[in-house]
Amino acid sequence: GILQHPDGTVLKQLQPPPRGPREQEFYNKVYDSDCCDSVLLELREYLPKYFGVWSPPTAPNDTYLKLEDVTRKFNKPCIMDVKIGQKSYDPYASAEKIQQQVSKYPLMEEIGFLVLGMRVYHVSSDSYETQNQHYGRSLTKETVKDGISKFFHNGYCLRKDAIAASIQKVEKILEWFEGQKQLNFYASSLLFVYEGSCQAPTVRLSDVTLAEKRGVPRGLLAGGDILEYNNNIHLLSSTENGKIEASVSKGLSKFYALHKKAYSKRHHSQLSLKVENLEQDNVWKSSTCIAQEHLNGNVLPQLEKVFCHMPAEIKESANVEVRMIDFAHVFPSNTKDEGYIYGLKNLITVLQNILDN
């Protein structure tokens, strides 16, 4: 398994030959300090950073790959591992190995990818739901869309911002594959990570009566008008005037005006949310999941639903990572990796369908 190093990196034990040495050789080639190959230099953007190999003092013969912990910056990381490609066996696999791999997931060639596992944070219960490889292998052509959408549902709502950001990142990886003929990847995966915490970094309530109706919600400061949360998710990108107006409900006379402020001395930009009387047209419509509800003292769940359902086009800054991992079966080539490209395109289609529907 993956181990944690005290310095914040992760350690992946080198597999037995030829897989382990092949993966090490791959990382060494891509991260060679003398590398001037533009294809490999761009590939670094889509991999975890590589810090060489490491052996514990007590077992100097055990070798580990020392890699970036892609989940480290997240507060509540949601993680999914998806194997990509039409074949999960390499060109040198024996007939027995081929049969073994095909029997594990016969639909691999048709679907082009396989969910190996996921871990999803549910805001409502403050707990994680985990699915293993058996879950992914149970998915069919008809159920794979719903199966993957489970990864982006946090118990309150579908995280469309994370889906949209994931699509953008997978499309960048697809562009790289479309433009290179050096390497073919087998049994390699994409690691998806997004911030599961859905709370706004800063919430300002100028109309304090909303909070007073049923007591002060958790997180409200003594001043009575500020809720602060420290997390890594960015919910809004800048607009022309820096302001996005939103209708919370037709039944409410109040509108939320969200504007992004940059603080030079803060680690992240913060969002502030003010309750104002705005009679002008709103930029986006609220989700139907709260259309009939009224804000009361229990403010946080309502705000979480609003944030979760903000349209994808204004949430390009969602905190999402998509990285390629597992390179024990990477081989030189002089053709495009059509199997991997096929899998990426199919995965993008599924993600886009989840987003659209």
Side-chain angles (χ1 to χ4, degrees), residues 286-353:
S286 66
S287 161
T288 55
C289 77
I290 63 164
Q292 304 303 318
E293 298 173 7
H294 296 280
L295 287 174
N296 54 32
N298 191 14
V299 175
L300 286 183
Q302 308 300 335
L303 296 180
E304 285 165 346
K305 291 180 182 180
V306 173
F307 290 133
C308 289
H309 285 272
M310 281 162 41
E313 60 266 22
I314 63 170
K315 295 165 65 173
E316 296 173 358
S317 56
N319 201 350
V320 173
E321 290 285 355
V322 179
R323 304 287 186 93
M324 297 169 61
I325 58 171
D326 297 336
F327 307 111
H329 302 276
V330 178
F331 296 90
S333 175
N334 54 12
T335 62
K336 283 187 180 181
D337 191 342
E338 297 295 351
Y340 202 105
I341 290 172
Y342 176 89
L344 288 176
K345 287 182 176 179
N346 260 17
L347 181 56
I348 290 170
T349 299
V350 171
L351 291 172
Q352 192 63 55
N353 285 340

Side-chain angles (χ1 to χ4, degrees), residues 143-206:
T143 62
V144 69
K145 175 186 160 188
D146 289 339
I148 289 183
S149 69
K150 182 188 285 281
F151 174 63
F152 294 100
H153 203 288
N154 68 1
Y156 275 132
C157 58
L158 190 66
R159 284 290 302 277
K160 291 192 172 186
D161 61 319
I163 301 173
S166 295
I167 291 172
Q168 290 178 355
K169 290 183 179 292
V170 176
E171 285 176 339
K172 291 290 290 181
I173 293 173
L174 175 59
E175 285 179 22
W176 182 84
F177 271 91
E178 294 277 22
Q180 70 90 23
K181 295 181 179 180
Q182 295 186 29
L183 298 169
N184 278 188
F185 295 73
Y186 302 91
S188 185
S189 291
L190 288 184
L191 186 71
F192 290 77
V193 189
Y194 73 87
E195 177 56 67
S197 176
C198 196
Q199 297 164 340
T202 302
V203 179
R204 296 184 181 277
L205 303 177
S206 56

